[in-house]
Amino acid sequence: MNVSKLNGLICGALLSAALLAAPAITLAQDASTGTGTTSTAPLPTCKDGTTATKAGKGGCKGHGGVAKTTAAGTSTAAPAAGAAAAAPAAASSSSSSGATVTCKDGTTSTKTGRGACSGHGGVNKSAGGAASTATTTAPAAAAAGAAAAPATAAAAAKSKTSPAASIQAAPGGGAGQVWVNTKDNVYHCQGDEWYGKTKAGAYMSEADAKAKGARAARGKACS
């Protein structure tokens, strides 16, 4: 009777020891395989929306498995962000690498910093200044040409539309002489478009024209 009770107590003690040792064995196995909770890898998302209890195999057991789309999105987000960050840097590098300087011996260098023309007599600063002057002069010249074009066109149009342009001036006249339009009693100075060209008129001095009561064309006296 005492032997049976003793055997029962021994078996109970062994079973209790086995149950207590099981978690310790599991943790030791996880640590040896690298799947323990000390891993720094992010925990995956399961198909039912929950977060896995561990990063290794079986982390989403009972939750439909790992959501592969989430894992794919995580893996591709980093390269995309890296490419976006690299684009401005590449653009800046290409723009800076395109600059050139002219050396004193006539050669060019793609370097713009100190030592760009080492062994070529140094940087030719006058070449850079000339290029800068040409760059700023070209727009100014273009603007001046554009402003002068309407005035030239207007003058050309005026000369084409003036009836006096096709009329031959009467012989005579010259310095100190005005042409008096005897019909309107208006006199025109030398250089006026109607000088010597009205149907009726005569050359005389400006004083004589005024004495006859003639008035200057457009109110502008010749002297």
Side-chain angles (χ1 to χ4, degrees):
M1 189 67 177
N2 292 332
V3 174
S4 299
K5 288 182 179 181
L6 182 60
N7 288 336
L9 291 173
I10 293 173
C11 291
L14 292 174
L15 181 59
S16 298
L19 291 174
L20 292 173
I25 295 172
T26 303
L27 290 174
Q29 291 177 345
D30 290 343
S32 63
T33 56
T35 59
T37 57
T38 57
S39 173
T40 58
L43 297 176
T45 302
C46 303
K47 290 183 178 180
D48 62 358
T50 59
T51 302
T53 57
K54 59 181 180 178
K57 185 176 180 181
C60 285
K61 185 178 180 180
H63 297 279
V66 177
K68 295 182 180 180
T69 55
T70 302
T74 303
S75 62
T76 57
S92 176
S93 176
S94 62
S95 62
S96 61
S97 62
T100 59
V101 294
T102 303
C103 304
K104 289 185 178 180
D105 62 356
T107 60
T108 58
S109 173
T110 56
K111 294 177 63 178
T112 57
R114 185 176 180 181
C117 287
S118 178
H120 298 277
V123 177
N124 187 353
K125 296 182 179 179
S126 61
S132 177
T133 303
T135 302
T136 55
T137 302
T152 305
K158 184 177 180 180
S159 64
K160 289 181 180 179
T161 57
S162 176
S166 59
I167 299 175
Q168 182 69 32
Q177 298 289 305
V178 298
W179 174 260
V180 179
N181 181 353
T182 55
K183 180 179 179 181
D184 297 332
N185 204 23
V186 174
Y187 68 87
H188 301 270
C189 304
Q190 187 178 14
D192 187 273
E193 59 179 343
W194 287 105
Y195 186 76
K197 294 184 178 182
T198 60
K199 291 183 179 181
Y203 292 111
M204 64 183 70
S205 67
E206 185 175 10
D208 291 342
K210 290 180 178 180
K212 292 179 179 294
R215 65 185 186 279
R218 304 180 185 86
K220 296 180 179 180
C222 303
S223 59

